[in-house]
Amino acid sequence: GYGYLMFNSSHSWSASCEEEWITLGATEGKAGSNKITYTAAPNFETSVRKAVITITNSAAAEEGKFTISQAAFEPQLTVMAASHTFTFEAEETTIDIDANFDYDVQCEADWLSIEKIENGIKITSTELTELTERKAEIKIGKEKYDLEEVIEIVQKPFEPTYQFRPRSAYTKSADDVAPFTIFVQNTNFTYEIQPDVEWIATSLEGNKIKVTLSANTTQSPRSGNVLLKGKDRPGVVVKIPIKQLSNYYL
């Protein structure tokens, strides 16, 4: 802030102030009508502060004291979003922040990077390769002002999509060993195939899975799966269930 003092002096004078946050426009002058300007640095404390400017008359050794009060700082902080959700891909977003002080940003998640920008922050996520969502908190505020806002961050995992046809072909009789074909459509990932039991044999040509079953020579039905295992998405495993009926003639 800016201000000034008006005073009369019968002799030359000097001016001083012990507070560093006050800067005087002049520290000495001649007799007569005088004006001293002063500048106050911003007060970022939450309490009122005061300073005294002393004017000393050189001949009469008289002093005049002027007290200056500066209002307490009122911190204000508004975060324009309380949460954000990322997809599994590496992405970035910005969140606007309105504050009248230099706030701190804290986050313990190593999969997020945060950059302070004009009027807010930029948040960047890394790619999520696991199949479970992850969460983090970004804390905005200043400990000295006892102010804190929290932004909740969620990153959703990759969700595989797929279709199989025909659905009616996956239950076979005990002695049906003729090869059959499963068509895989509308997938959003590349895959390789693998049966999870020995009595299922598979081969892959494009989006066609050729399946051959060994005869079931037992009196119990059995179940297995053809697995679609993600190549570009490790951890993605899709099961195509295969059922084979029991052999009633044994």
Side-chain angles (χ1 to χ4, degrees):
Y2 168 84
Y4 62 88
L5 302 176
M6 301 288 292
F7 64 94
N8 291 313
S9 178
S10 59
H11 294 82
S12 60
W13 54 269
S14 62
S16 63
C17 182
E18 295 182 355
E19 301 297 333
E20 294 182 353
W21 55 274
I22 292 291
T23 301
L24 298 178
T27 57
E28 59 183 10
K30 298 179 180 180
S33 179
N34 290 273
K35 177 181 178 179
I36 297 178
T37 61
Y38 63 86
T39 303
N43 181 13
F44 290 110
E45 301 300 325
T46 55
S47 59
V48 175
R49 62 182 179 180
K50 296 183 179 182
V52 176
I53 299 176
T54 302
I55 309 296
T56 304
N57 184 314
S58 60
E62 296 176 341
E63 290 185 345
K65 294 184 181 293
F66 302 87
T67 300
I68 299 169
S69 295
Q70 190 175 34
F73 178 64
E74 296 182 3
Q76 298 176 359
L77 174 65
T78 303
V79 178
M80 301 304 178
S83 63
H84 182 77
T85 300
F86 287 108
T87 70
F88 65 91
E89 297 179 304
E91 295 178 336
E92 69 177 40
T93 190
T94 59
I95 293 180
D96 292 337
I97 297 174
D98 184 14
N100 61 352
F101 61 91
D102 184 20
Y103 52 82
D104 298 322
V105 180
Q106 296 179 326
C107 182
E108 296 182 355
D110 58 6
W111 51 275
L112 292 176
S113 61
I114 306 163
E115 177 187 355
K116 292 176 70 174
I117 59 176
E118 185 177 4
N119 300 322
I121 57 174
K122 180 171 73 172
I123 310 169
T124 305
S125 66
T126 59
E127 183 180 14
L128 175 57
T129 57
E130 299 177 358
L131 298 182
T132 55
E133 73 174 27
R134 54 187 177 184
K135 299 180 179 180
E137 289 185 343
I138 300 175
K139 297 180 179 180
I140 310 293
K142 200 77 169 179
E143 184 177 358
K144 68 179 292 184
Y145 299 142
D146 194 26
L147 273 180
E148 183 178 89
E149 297 287 342
V150 177
I151 305 172
E152 301 285 347
I153 302 295
V154 176
Q155 190 172 32
K156 294 294 186 179
F158 173 77
E159 295 185 3
T161 60
Y162 49 87
Q163 289 181 333
F164 306 135
R165 65 177 180 88
R167 299 295 296 181
S168 59
Y170 308 154
T171 299
K172 295 293 183 177
S173 61
D175 57 354
D176 187 354
V177 295
F180 63 96
T181 300
I182 299 174
F183 294 88
V184 182
Q185 299 174 315
N186 302 322
T187 59
N188 60 352
F189 63 99
T190 59
Y191 55 87
E192 58 187 8
I193 60 170
Q194 177 184 325
D196 64 357
V197 290
E198 294 182 354
W199 51 272
I200 299 176
T202 58
S203 61
L204 179 64
E205 296 182 4
N207 69 329
K208 301 175 183 179
I209 303 175
K210 183 179 179 181
V211 183
T212 304
L213 308 183
S214 301
N216 186 2
T217 59
T218 72
Q219 292 184 326
S220 299
R222 57 187 182 181
S223 299
N225 299 281
V226 176
L227 305 179
L228 272 63
K229 305 179 72 173
K231 296 174 66 177
D232 58 340
R233 291 286 163 193
V236 172
V237 178
V238 176
K239 295 181 179 181
I240 306 175
I242 306 293
K243 295 181 179 180
Q244 193 174 39
L245 302 178
S246 61
N247 192 325
Y248 295 103
Y249 298 102
L250 294 177

